[in-house]
Amino acid sequence: MGFLKSLFGGATESADDKKRNDEARQFDVLKYDGVKAMRMGQMDYAERFFRGALELHDDLEVRDYLSLVLMRKGLLAEALEQLRVLAGAQPDNTQVFIRIANVAFMMEDYAMMDEASQKAMALDGSDAQASYLCARAKKGLGDVVSALAMLTQAISLNDKYGDAYLCRAEMLLDLGDLNGADGDAAWLLEHASTNEDVLLLKARIEKARGSNDEALGYYDKVVEENPFCVTAFRERGALRLAMGDTIGATEDGERVLELEPDEASGVSGDYSAEGIEQKTRAAYRNNPLGLG
């Protein structure tokens, strides 16, 4: 009987079935094109495709992709909306709360970041990233003690967590614990000796110790690695000025003004050697530590 129905068209597709099948095919095309556009860096197209797919079918994977696209476009509130839907559908998914914490960090909403990271830690206490994000949240909230404890916990869970070492070292330096900061800096230099943030950290530690020649050497390394690092030129210029090297400080001041013209202050429009020197001295007086 089934053979005869098939042969004479008795098993034709109903209108509703055809509509569902057409929508399913269209959904697959939109989803595929969205992923392709996202991988090619075409975020506007990716967003359009993913939103079109969601109009046809509410799919968690598409919402996941869409949240990533919105984050890359800087549409953080909209990304958060997608992530909240994912969190409601998958309340045991650690990675969803980690991503919410990252979005909150980008929004500088440290209370939200703290809540999301703690949910992630409650779901998976072995996730070092969750501890690290909690530390960044605590730091943003001004809870230095808890932040340091969370950074230490992140490192205990992953002893190769470079960002955690760097953040802890920077906090210890701010607290005046130069030995503690230098201990983390030593690990970082061993594993990431050409990283400009690591080199800047070491330069600042040596500067805080009063080891100006050593600090200068590390600032030189930063500039070698990244000749466009304004912070390095600014801080090295401040150090050179403090060491009596007016010519070197002026050269660094000139480089800062080239890279960031808005830094110009003092003698407006005067880019003679004397004018640059006056600008440099004024800038360093206003920012004596040379910190951006």
Side-chain angles (χ1 to χ4, degrees):
M1 188 70 173
F3 170 75
L4 293 175
K5 283 186 177 180
S6 177
L7 183 63
F8 294 104
T12 56
E13 192 176 38
S14 71
D16 287 343
D17 287 342
K18 185 177 185 305
K19 181 181 179 182
R20 281 193 294 270
N21 290 335
D22 287 344
E23 287 182 351
R25 283 191 291 271
Q26 188 179 0
F27 171 84
D28 288 339
V29 169
L30 288 169
K31 181 177 178 180
Y32 171 80
D33 286 346
V35 172
K36 183 178 178 181
M38 182 174 68
R39 290 174 178 170
M40 293 175 65
Q42 298 175 338
M43 298 303 159
D44 288 340
Y45 285 112
E47 181 185 357
R48 187 183 310 169
F49 290 136
F50 289 141
R51 289 193 184 280
L54 287 173
E55 288 177 4
L56 295 171
H57 178 54
D58 190 356
D59 182 82
L60 294 180
E61 187 177 16
V62 172
R63 287 189 182 276
D64 184 23
Y65 287 136
L66 180 57
S67 73
L68 289 172
V69 168
L70 294 169
M71 287 173 67
R72 293 176 191 176
K73 291 183 65 176
L75 302 174
L76 303 180
E78 294 182 37
L80 191 59
E81 289 178 11
Q82 300 301 323
L83 291 169
R84 291 199 184 284
V85 173
L86 291 174
Q90 297 182 342
D92 297 331
N93 189 329
T94 306
Q95 294 307 309
V96 172
F97 291 103
I98 283 178
R99 193 175 300 168
I100 290 174
N102 275 304
V103 171
F105 178 62
M106 296 166 70
M107 297 174 73
E108 298 184 2
D109 188 334
Y110 299 112
M112 183 197 304
M113 184 183 185
D114 186 36
E115 180 183 0
S117 60
Q118 293 211 46
K119 285 182 179 178
M121 285 192 298
L123 289 170
D124 184 358
S126 65
D127 193 310
Q129 187 180 10
S131 297
Y132 171 74
L133 290 170
C134 186
R136 297 304 300 258
K138 297 296 187 186
K139 180 183 178 184
L141 293 169
D143 188 349
V144 175
V145 174
S146 294
L148 287 171
M150 286 293 100
L151 288 168
T152 300
Q153 178 172 303
I155 291 169
S156 70
L157 293 169
N158 178 3
D159 62 3
K160 294 180 174 59
Y161 205 149
D163 285 340
Y165 282 104
L166 180 62
C167 186
R168 186 172 70 175
E170 290 172 341
M171 292 188 70
L172 291 172
L173 175 60
D174 288 341
L175 292 171
D177 183 356
L178 302 185
N179 290 333
D182 202 29
D184 284 342
W187 186 94
L188 289 163
L189 286 169
E190 181 182 350
H191 294 84
S193 60
T194 60
N195 181 283
E196 67 180 86
D197 291 327
V198 173
L199 294 170
L200 276 171
L201 167 68
K202 182 62 174 174
R204 290 165 177 167
I205 291 171
E206 296 302 334
K207 182 178 178 182
R209 280 179 168 159
S211 302
N212 291 341
D213 289 335
E214 287 80 0
L216 197 60
Y218 281 104
Y219 281 124
D220 292 343
K221 290 181 180 180
V222 177
V223 172
E224 288 172 9
E225 294 298 327
N226 179 9
F228 303 100
C229 183
V230 175
T231 300
F233 284 111
R234 186 186 296 117
E235 294 186 21
R236 186 176 71 175
L239 181 58
R240 282 175 162 176
L241 193 65
M243 296 172 69
D245 181 5
T246 305
I247 294 175
T250 301
E251 290 174 352
D252 282 342
E254 288 175 336
R255 188 65 176 137
V256 169
L257 294 175
E258 288 173 9
L259 295 170
E260 288 191 355
D262 290 343
E263 289 283 314
S265 60
V267 185
S268 178
D270 184 359
Y271 287 87
S272 64
E274 293 79 7
I276 290 290
E277 183 177 341
Q278 290 182 49
K279 290 183 177 72
T280 302
R281 287 185 177 277
Y284 295 150
R285 279 199 302 272
N286 294 332
N287 193 7
L289 294 179
L291 300 179

